[in-house]
Amino acid sequence: MDNVISLELSNQGKNQRTYNFWLELLGNLRRNRSAVTGFIIIALLIMIAIFASVITTHDPLLPMFGLPGETPPLPRKAPCIHLLGCNAEEAQHLMGLDLNARDLFSRVIFGSRTSLVVGVFSVSFAITIGTLLGLIGGYAGGWIDNIIMRLMDVMLAFPSLLLAITIVTIRGPGLENALLAIAIVSIPQYARVTRSSVLKVKEEEFVTAERSLGAESWRIVFIHILPHALTPLIVQATLGIGGAVLEAAGLAFLGLGAQPPTPEWGFMLSEARAYIFTSPHLVFFPGIAITLTVLGFNLLGDGLRDALDPRLNRD
Amino acid sequence: MRSVLRVMPLFVLLLALSVALVPAAAQDMMSYSTDCATEGYTGTFQSVEAVDAMTVKFTLCSPDPAFPAKVAFSAFSIQPSEYLEATGGGGDLITSPIGTGPYKLERWDQGNEMVLTRNEDYWGTPAIEPTVIFRWNAEATARLLELQSGNIDGMDNPAQGDFGVIEADPNLALYLRSGTNVFYLGMNNRIAPFDSLEVRQALAYAIDRERIVANFYPPGSSAATQFMPPSIFGFTGEVKPLDDGMTVDEKLAKAAELLDAAGYPVGDDGTRFSVTINYRDVVRGYLPSPGVVAQDIQAQLAQLGVVVNIEVMESGAFLDASDAGQLAFYMLGWGADYPDATNFLDFHFGEGSSDQFGDKFPEITEPLKQAASLADTAERYQIYIQANEAIRDLVPMIAIAHGGNGAAFQARIAGAYASDIGAEQFALMEDPNDDNLVWMQNAEPIGLYCADETDGETLRACEQINESLLAYEVGTGRPIGRLASDWTASDDLTEWTFTLREGVKFHDGSDLDANDVVLSYVVQWDAANPLHVGRDGNFTYFSGLFGGFMNPPASE
């Protein structure tokens, strides 16, 4: 409700040629249907991840052997939903059981935590380092810029998944290392985006003015230049989270990401791929989860790009 | 004078011929021997000698009733002595072997496929199909898809859930192997916490073997009560497992009690200790779904407060590390090479066995050594009861399952079968549709010098190319003559004399003689021999089956 009111306010304000950046952005986003869809998916996903232990019906790590209502054979048992006519005496499993007779629904739900943690943390890490490098390179110029950007070029020259695999192989498989690897391989994207904004802004008159007033470099860079790089960085980061989720799933698929028994969508796919024809539910649900998550971030990212583009949507 | 001159050229020719031939005929017959009492020598070989060009005599330090069964094994196949010397005991020997078998290696496109062509000069019945192609894929489902689509003619180890699919398909035929194997959890008693007997016993109580077999093994499998599979001599039904007759809850309570006693109480975080379990991500008859079983073991031990981290390793690196005693806790198994207790017990727990379980126990090695030297079956059986009891009580490993498995072929393949010991002879099979037989197994062979290999997928490829003195009869597994046409033993079973088959040629055209046999054995036996090289130099089978090496390297 607050949003609507403040939007109206901002529309009035616009007549007076002043507007709030964030409200403008929200307004543009609201008009973009795919962005709204993406936003809803991600909001839902975040809720699911936060309230995973409330939503789930079973312990995601517990095999169902010897529990009441479980009639063998248990591994790979098809979904049993009472509402859809499954025998009421059978224990209910919304997505069936996995290869180790664990409740697949609970595992998929908890898997959202793993994926979001990897997505958000790896991108935060990458964006911090990448932005810093881009700011330094862009503002300092000369040989410093040369060294930093050539290093970024070298990293970009490797296929990112391959580089991530190399990093994980050196540091040993595991969620933290996968997270670190994904973060490292995405640093160059952020460094380049930041640097190009810096280059554009640093010759502007207000920067020259600030400098002539005797402001220190760090102040110019962080207070005056950085805000101008934020827009493309936000878009890049939103799209980047989707990419990071996918890369984490890819690493886990290869056995290099989260280690069992941690529920991880990519690893669930990899385990079950041999049973795609005999027990499709094992592949279907984690697969859908990955698709939805990546789709959500991509839709939101695209929407943000459109909303933030000054050549579009401005009236 | 003229007549003498006329005969002269002929005379010279004869002289030249004899000069050329005599050294060949009088070539030195090789002979190697050692003193059984040499300090540090644990082996059973006393001497190997070429009596004449076609006779080889083995003298053993102690009687060995299973000697023919061991000699028939593919790790002891005969290599041409000239090639052994030319390759320095490794290198090309591993990638381009020369043997006497019904097939020779045409090319090995590493990572892709291995093509064998028929040996046209084979001494016996030549192979039916001109070409055999080995391919591999770790995924049982992928192998089955290839079989169903007709890209391959035969595949190994269908997945647990696919047995029914194959039986229902009129184009395919399923051949079952009985579970002459064992899947076990190895523990190294030099590495904490497995240096504690209580810990090892606790885990033996804690693991619910029935649950693993019932849920993760195909039909025909059984939960192990001891290391020996029931169908092989050396299985002693009298020896019951530690947890015999206990319920799951009783077993867990007993395990918890033992862990408390061992000094591993439940800590503040609810756990006792954490260990890493290693396994190789390959499907074998004894372990059809390794990742899933690893996670079940993880879940089972979690109930006890034991945290298990799972670490997958590459197959070759895994085997080397476990042999070298570097792995604390690991999942491995063993399939029978020949049907005798020595193949299982001596190889794993005997004096000459590798360091895979850490320090050896005299309570186990002594009876094994004794049993291996007896000729009388009933007497041997009594001693194996002792050995199996000692293994149960000292718990160097936990035997979990005997996995039934099988192979599937196109129904049209004539003579198709699945060997209980995984040694299918493709020379006996016929594909009426085309000129080749394409076989897809779980994994690529590691190397083709099988004296220094232990992996079943690797041995199967070697067996098509190289031959041993004896072979196992298809169906019964009894030793029968192969490169040796005949063999005799002295009454005390310490002297074994093999008469080589006439007219056997290696793939390079050279003739088989006694020196080839002697050198093939000596490079394995003598650790100081310059040709004792191989792929990693472990020669695990030789030391496992024959007690140890001559001139063993000083132990670190």
Side-chain angles (χ1 to χ4, degrees), chain A residues 60-211:
Chain A
L61 305 186
L62 183 72
M64 297 291 132
F65 298 117
L67 296 179
E70 310 284 357
T71 35
L74 291 180
R76 301 195 277 131
K77 196 161 152 189
C80 169
I81 304 169
H82 291 159
L83 275 177
L84 297 182
C86 176
N87 186 353
E89 323 226 306
E90 282 281 310
Q92 173 160 275
H93 295 289
L94 298 178
M95 295 181 183
L97 296 181
D98 79 349
L99 293 166
N100 281 85
R102 296 171 296 209
D103 182 60
L104 190 61
F105 174 70
S106 307
R107 289 181 70 74
V108 170
I109 295 292
F110 270 97
S112 64
R113 278 192 185 176
T114 324
S115 290
L116 282 186
V117 162
V118 172
V120 172
F121 278 87
S122 61
V123 168
S124 319
F125 183 87
I127 215 168
T128 314
I129 308 277
T131 307
L132 217 59
L133 289 176
L135 285 175
I136 296 172
Y139 187 75
W143 62 272
I144 299 180
D145 185 35
N146 248 328
I147 289 179
I148 293 179
M149 292 328 282
R150 291 304 81 74
L151 193 70
M152 295 297 114
D153 285 346
V154 168
M155 285 174 73
L156 277 176
F158 286 100
S160 63
L161 193 61
L162 213 61
L163 188 57
I165 289 173
T166 315
I167 295 170
V168 176
T169 313
I170 293 167
R171 294 190 45 91
L175 190 61
E176 297 83 9
N177 291 339
L179 197 153
L180 192 71
I182 294 167
I184 290 174
V185 299
S186 39
I187 287 176
Q189 300 167 18
Y190 301 105
R192 286 173 69 113
V193 165
T194 315
R195 176 175 173 269
S196 68
S197 305
V198 173
L199 288 184
K200 234 185 311 177
V201 177
K202 89 169 171 183
E203 303 303 336
E204 298 264 336
E205 275 136 7
F206 72 90
V207 175
T208 320
E210 188 78 10
R211 203 179 289 139

Side-chain angles (χ1 to χ4, degrees), chain B residues 125-145:
Chain B
T125 317
I128 302 171
E129 292 294 327
T131 307
V132 167
I133 300 171
F134 274 69
R135 291 193 187 137
W136 39 86
N137 193 318
E139 297 297 333
T141 322
R143 292 197 297 275
L144 181 59
L145 275 177

Side-chain angles (χ1 to χ4, degrees), chain A residues 10 13-14 16-25 314:
Chain A
S10 85
K14 200 173 271 177
Q16 296 157 15
R17 283 277 168 236
T18 63
Y19 66 88
N20 181 314
F21 170 80
W22 296 104
L23 293 178
E24 168 83 12
L25 171 61
R314 257 320 127 70

Side-chain angles (χ1 to χ4, degrees), chain B residues 5-332:
Chain B
L5 278 176
R6 208 176 293 154
V7 188
M8 208 46 184
L10 192 66
F11 187 72
V12 170
L13 190 73
L14 273 176
L15 193 75
L17 265 178
S18 56
V19 167
L21 285 176
V22 163
Q27 188 186 5
D28 286 342
M29 287 293 111
M30 292 183 186
S31 164
Y32 292 83
S33 63
T34 190
D35 183 353
C36 293
T38 310
E39 174 141 4
Y41 181 58
T42 56
T44 57
F45 268 43
Q46 184 182 339
S47 72
V48 186
E49 53 190 309
V51 178
D52 59 49
M54 297 311 268
T55 312
V56 182
K57 192 170 110 187
F58 294 83
T59 310
L60 307 179
C61 298
S62 51
D64 187 356
F67 194 68
K70 294 177 182 177
V71 164
F73 186 52
S74 44
F76 310 117
S77 61
I78 305 308
Q79 317 284 332
S81 52
E82 299 80 8
Y83 195 52
L84 272 173
E85 278 159 2
T87 54
D92 277 352
L93 197 57
I94 296 159
T95 51
S96 39
I98 294 178
T100 55
Y103 285 101
K104 49 189 175 185
L105 183 68
E106 169 80 20
R107 70 191 157 82
W108 180 5
D109 183 2
Q110 295 206 359
N112 187 19
E113 63 178 16
M114 185 183 278
V115 181
L116 311 181
T117 51
R118 182 162 61 196
N119 173 10
E120 303 294 349
D121 295 328
Y122 189 55
W123 57 268
T125 317
I128 302 171
E129 292 294 327
T131 307
V132 167
I133 300 171
F134 274 69
R135 291 193 187 137
W136 39 86
N137 193 318
E139 297 297 333
T141 322
R143 292 197 297 275
L144 181 59
L145 275 177
E146 294 266 12
L147 188 70
Q148 286 168 329
S149 63
N151 291 338
I152 56 171
D153 298 317
M155 64 167 276
D156 207 7
N157 290 354
Q160 185 195 350
D162 289 336
F163 278 57
V165 177
I166 297 167
E167 275 169 339
D169 189 333
N171 293 322
L172 305 181
L174 183 67
Y175 300 88
L176 293 175
R177 297 190 185 103
S178 63
T180 54
N181 56 39
V182 62
F183 160 55
Y184 61 85
L185 277 181
M187 294 173 286
N188 190 317
N189 63 29
R190 285 184 196 148
I191 304 174
F194 302 105
D195 51 350
S196 150
L197 176 62
E198 279 100 345
V199 169
R200 299 199 303 273
Q201 286 179 338
L203 296 196
Y205 279 106
I207 302 284
D208 185 348
R209 306 186 299 272
E210 299 287 346
R211 162 169 150 182
I212 292 174
V213 173
N215 289 296
F216 311 121
Y217 275 77
S221 309
S222 57
T225 57
Q226 55 185 277
F227 195 73
M228 292 298 305
S231 58
I232 294 184
F233 175 78
F235 174 85
T236 51
E238 293 86 342
V239 182
K240 301 288 181 209
L242 287 176
D243 55 359
D244 193 38
M246 292 166 83
T247 67
V248 174
D249 291 336
E250 284 168 7
K251 284 163 58 168
L252 280 178
K254 176 75 181 170
E257 186 186 309
L258 281 164
L259 286 179
D260 287 339
Y264 293 100
V266 181
D268 297 333
D269 57 351
T271 65
R272 294 174 190 271
F273 57 84
S274 69
V275 290
T276 298
I277 192 167
N278 291 96
Y279 70 94
R280 49 178 186 160
D281 200 7
V282 295
V283 172
R284 293 291 183 270
Y286 54 74
L287 186 52
S289 36
V292 178
V293 169
Q295 290 190 55
D296 197 55
I297 288 168
Q298 185 181 44
Q300 291 194 14
L301 294 181
Q303 296 173 308
L304 262 186
V306 175
V307 179
V308 178
N309 302 311
I310 297 177
E311 197 178 305
V312 191
M313 292 178 74
E314 189 273 322
S315 180
F318 170 81
L319 289 180
D320 293 349
S322 72
D323 272 350
Q326 292 160 353
L327 302 181
F329 190 44
Y330 56 93
M331 303 179 5
L332 187 55

Side-chain angles (χ1 to χ4, degrees), chain B residues 230-550:
Chain B
S231 58
I232 294 184
F233 175 78
F235 174 85
T236 51
E238 293 86 342
V239 182
K240 301 288 181 209
L242 287 176
D243 55 359
D244 193 38
M246 292 166 83
T247 67
V248 174
D249 291 336
E250 284 168 7
K251 284 163 58 168
L252 280 178
K254 176 75 181 170
E257 186 186 309
L258 281 164
L259 286 179
D260 287 339
Y264 293 100
V266 181
D268 297 333
D269 57 351
T271 65
R272 294 174 190 271
F273 57 84
S274 69
V275 290
T276 298
I277 192 167
N278 291 96
Y279 70 94
R280 49 178 186 160
D281 200 7
V282 295
V283 172
R284 293 291 183 270
Y286 54 74
L287 186 52
S289 36
V292 178
V293 169
Q295 290 190 55
D296 197 55
I297 288 168
Q298 185 181 44
Q300 291 194 14
L301 294 181
Q303 296 173 308
L304 262 186
V306 175
V307 179
V308 178
N309 302 311
I310 297 177
E311 197 178 305
V312 191
M313 292 178 74
E314 189 273 322
S315 180
F318 170 81
L319 289 180
D320 293 349
S322 72
D323 272 350
Q326 292 160 353
L327 302 181
F329 190 44
Y330 56 93
M331 303 179 5
L332 187 55
W334 186 253
D337 304 305
Y338 61 88
D340 189 79
T342 50
N343 182 224
F344 279 79
L345 300 180
D346 294 37
F347 185 88
H348 291 87
F349 311 107
E351 244 165 22
S353 59
S354 76
D355 285 342
Q356 63 167 333
F357 304 121
D359 293 327
K360 297 175 182 71
F361 301 97
E363 296 92 324
I364 303 174
T365 54
E366 291 301 325
L368 286 183
K369 195 171 183 184
Q370 199 186 345
S373 64
L374 290 171
D376 183 63
T377 311
E379 237 178 301
R380 282 183 80 201
Y381 186 84
Q382 290 305 317
I383 297 173
Y384 280 128
I385 294 182
Q386 279 179 39
N388 283 330
E389 272 173 353
I391 293 171
R392 176 196 64 192
D393 296 335
L394 294 167
V395 210
M397 53 81 230
I398 305 166
I400 295 186
H402 306 297
N405 64 82
F409 286 86
Q410 303 288 354
R412 64 169 191 275
I413 306 288
Y417 71 108
S419 149
D420 271 354
I421 54 175
E424 288 78 17
Q425 294 175 28
F426 297 115
L428 306 176
M429 300 183 193
E430 179 177 12
D431 181 356
N433 281 14
D434 53 27
D435 284 344
N436 60 50
L437 190 80
V438 187
W439 164 257
M440 185 172 271
Q441 54 184 24
N442 305 323
E444 178 167 12
I446 300 169
L448 287 177
Y449 177 43
C450 279
D452 199 13
E453 300 293 346
T454 54
D455 176 54
E457 308 293 314
T458 305
L459 295 175
R460 185 186 285 116
C462 288
E463 281 151 9
Q464 318 302 324
I465 300 167
N466 292 93
E467 292 176 306
S468 305
L469 288 174
L470 306 181
Y472 305 107
E473 193 173 46
V474 175
T476 64
R478 275 188 321 120
I480 53 170
R482 178 66 62 89
L483 292 185
S485 53
D486 197 15
W487 72 98
T488 55
S490 63
D491 289 342
D492 63 353
L493 302 181
T494 56
E495 285 180 23
W496 296 82
T497 310
F498 294 84
T499 310
L500 300 188
R501 197 176 290 278
E502 297 284 343
V504 176
K505 282 190 185 307
F506 285 102
H507 296 156
D508 63 355
S510 61
D511 290 308
L512 169 78
D513 67 21
N515 280 347
D516 297 322
V517 178
V518 172
L519 197 63
S520 294
Y521 274 89
V522 166
V523 297
Q524 296 197 48
W525 175 30
D526 181 4
N529 192 299
L531 303 179
H532 186 82
V533 177
R535 188 174 60 79
D536 58 15
N538 281 343
F539 294 94
T540 319
Y541 270 116
F542 188 91
S543 61
L545 299 186
F546 298 118
F549 299 118
M550 171 161 61

